[in-house]
Amino acid sequence: MDKREVETPAPLVDWGRMEENIRRMAGVARKAGVRLRPHIKTHKSPAIARRAIELGAEGVTAAKLGEAEVMAAGGIDDILLAYPVVGEEKLRRYLDLNERVRMACTTDSFEVAEGLSAAASARGQSVRLFVEIDSGLKRMGLPPGEEVVALVRRIADLPGIRFTGVL
């Protein structure tokens, strides 16, 4: 179909350019010895996420539970939720996903870890949890240093929590 025939507004993706970008990022990650987990907040597409995984990504990162649910329904089985899970309803939804796919989430507070611990333990689950470090943007995360170490030590012994690393 010629792009001039597409009824607007409509998103158009240059699939070749997108794949080139994915391959380049996967190569950068491999060379650096790190795992690539692209954020899906722009495309929100399980098809694009699957292609990124085929080309070298470990999994995906989602901002919201709804995005993670769409990815899981679309066959993505390794999802990092980049924002803390707080509240009974969100904990329930997160743990429902955790039963179906490989989930992980983040925190920069002991209170969030405690809530996850209680909810996961009540359901006989364990939750992979990253502690988030502020990279300098001052949006989320703890400043690098002793505060991070102290939080990791506190959450490491919580039932239902598997400390997974720093983010």
Side-chain angles (χ1 to χ4, degrees):
M1 172 184 274
D2 186 295
K3 69 181 176 183
R4 292 172 292 201
E5 297 173 30
V6 175
E7 189 173 329
T8 60
L12 299 177
V13 175
D14 182 329
W15 200 264
R17 181 173 285 170
M18 180 196 71
E19 284 195 358
E20 180 184 317
N21 289 341
I22 292 169
R23 287 179 203 279
R24 187 172 55 252
M25 286 307 301
V28 167
R30 266 191 306 281
K31 187 174 180 180
V34 298
R35 295 173 291 210
L36 180 62
R37 183 180 290 281
H39 211 301
I40 55 90
K41 68 182 168 185
T42 301
H43 63 75
K44 293 181 176 45
S45 165
I48 293 173
R50 280 192 302 275
R51 190 63 182 139
I53 291 167
E54 290 167 4
L55 295 174
E58 172 178 309
V60 299
T61 301
K64 298 172 23 176
L65 273 168
E67 293 171 352
E69 289 163 337
V70 167
M71 290 295 121
I76 306 303
D77 64 1
D78 193 334
I79 304 167
L80 169 65
L81 188 62
Y83 293 92
V85 182
V86 177
E88 199 170 305
E89 175 63 15
K90 287 183 180 177
L91 285 165
R92 182 195 61 76
R93 289 170 57 202
Y94 180 84
L95 293 172
D96 287 349
L97 280 173
N98 196 49
E99 288 177 347
R100 297 177 20 229
V101 300
R102 186 172 190 254
M103 291 293 298
C105 59
T106 67
T107 189
D108 59 5
S109 86
F110 184 72
E111 292 74 22
V112 169
E114 275 185 312
L116 281 163
S117 171
S121 295
R123 288 182 57 168
Q125 291 187 30
S126 66
V127 172
R128 295 184 315 135
L129 185 61
F130 286 90
V131 169
E132 190 157 358
I133 296 176
D134 178 10
S135 62
L137 296 176
K138 303 199 183 321
R139 288 183 58 206
M140 290 190 68
L142 298 171
E146 278 305 310
E147 194 175 358
V148 172
V149 174
L151 178 58
V152 168
R153 286 187 175 134
R154 286 184 75 193
I155 68 171
D157 293 328
L158 287 173
I161 298 293
R162 284 183 290 145
F163 171 69
T164 305
V166 294
L167 179 78

